[in-house]
Amino acid sequence: VGENLLDGCGVGGVFQSPSSEQIYNVAKEVEAGAGVLFLYGNYTGDIMNFDMAAEMLDMDDIRTASIVGADDVLSNKDAQVRRGVAGIFFMYKCAGAMAARMGTLEEVLAAAKKAKDNTRTVGFALTEDEMAFGMGIHGEPGVWNGPVKTADDLAEESVGEILGDMPLNPGEEVCLLINGLGATSQEELYILSGSVHRLLEQKGIKVYRTFVGEYATSMEMAGASISICRMADQEMKQWIDMPVHTPFYTQV
């Protein structure tokens, strides 16, 4: 983007575990002189391949920086080893906005890190009569299986898990992402969004902007995830509001 590149792989089913050679070739094609930021989910195979590609690019005197999304609060108590799921959207959005403003590679990385530090996600998969709370987008086991709960109950448990990990005070502002895993209707996602909105309003937490749709899907899995991104400052709001025109996502 301009003199900078935000290059993300491994989200939304577009790229899954690309090889180091693929990453290297794409990065070489699009690098425009200011370096390359690799932004992807916290999965072992991706980390290995992106690290190898970075070493190859270094031999060509192309600077790189890397950051992994790790927003899934139920995947591990240790934030360093959590999975990166739909909340990585906010990392893309903030880093992309800084890149489009011709920020340096270090500034683009810092924007992604600010979004990462302020984003948490809880997800769940379901069938007609059973659900798995906390299941990952690659089918990783959740924290419990049981009967399908209502949108209000799911919102209460999910938001409780998120706020337990990232406490928010009344008056703070957040962005909300309600993500469908591939086989959940838009109507159901909006019902869930309404439940989360009401719950946050009861807690005095203001929703600055809401995103509803399919941002990180999983082989037509029925289910959804809830991501909350704290608006740490006005700069983050500007990044979130910035128009986007890409094959994956458009925002006017």
Side-chain angles (χ1 to χ4, degrees):
V1 182
E3 295 177 354
N4 301 277
L5 168 71
L6 171 66
D7 181 43
C9 298
V11 163
V14 178
F15 265 100
Q16 290 295 338
S17 296
S19 71
S20 57
E21 185 176 359
Q22 289 174 321
I23 298 166
Y24 168 77
N25 289 334
V26 170
K28 277 205 72 172
E29 272 308 305
V30 300
E31 200 275 332
V36 179
L37 174 65
F38 291 139
L39 198 171
Y40 52 95
N42 192 16
Y43 298 95
T44 303
D46 285 337
I47 293 172
M48 179 181 66
N49 288 333
F50 275 97
D51 284 350
M52 290 175 61
E55 291 176 6
M56 296 162 66
L57 291 164
D58 183 59
M59 289 188 287
D60 290 336
D61 294 323
I62 295 175
R63 292 196 310 136
T64 64
S66 296
I67 185 169
V68 295
D71 53 301
D72 187 350
V73 300
L74 293 178
S75 60
N76 204 291
K77 292 186 180 298
D78 184 351
Q80 300 303 312
V81 296
R82 288 175 177 168
R83 300 185 293 251
V85 286
I88 201 173
F89 164 79
F90 293 110
M91 295 171 66
Y92 285 125
K93 188 67 179 68
C94 293
M98 179 56 76
R101 290 180 176 180
M102 303 302 167
T104 65
L105 181 59
E106 291 75 19
E107 289 172 331
V108 175
L109 175 62
K113 186 177 186 305
K114 184 183 288 188
K116 174 180 177 177
D117 292 344
N118 288 283
T119 301
R120 304 289 189 277
T121 299
V122 165
F124 40 85
L126 52 90
T127 62
E128 288 186 8
D129 55 4
E130 187 179 9
M131 66 178 299
F133 191 75
M135 177 179 281
I137 60 174
H138 300 117
E140 299 93 340
V143 294
W144 60 256
N145 290 4
V148 177
K149 293 189 175 183
T150 66
D152 285 345
D153 288 341
L154 285 172
E156 184 171 0
E157 185 165 359
S158 299
V159 172
E161 293 285 355
I162 290 172
L163 298 188
D165 192 80
M166 182 180 69
L168 295 171
N169 298 316
E172 288 198 80
E173 291 184 273
V174 301
C175 280
L176 177 64
L177 171 65
I178 305 296
N179 171 67
L181 295 179
T184 301
S185 70
Q186 197 81 353
E187 290 84 358
E188 290 173 299
L189 295 179
Y190 275 105
I191 290 171
L192 179 61
S193 176
S195 296
V196 177
H197 269 260
R198 287 189 293 273
L199 186 60
L200 292 176
E201 184 179 0
Q202 293 169 9
K203 297 179 180 296
I205 299 167
K206 301 177 181 179
V207 177
Y208 179 71
R209 192 163 190 149
T210 303
F211 301 87
V212 179
E214 294 182 347
Y215 293 82
T217 59
S218 182
M219 299 295 290
E220 295 301 311
M221 181 188 291
S225 62
I226 298 169
S227 300
I228 293 177
C229 179
R230 174 170 43 200
M231 295 292 96
D233 51 34
Q234 285 298 123
E235 188 176 39
M236 282 192 74
K237 293 181 181 179
Q238 293 171 6
W239 294 337
I240 293 294
D241 290 341
M242 190 170 184
V244 177
H245 300 281
T246 73
F248 168 64
Y249 177 66
T250 298
Q251 177 179 312
V252 297

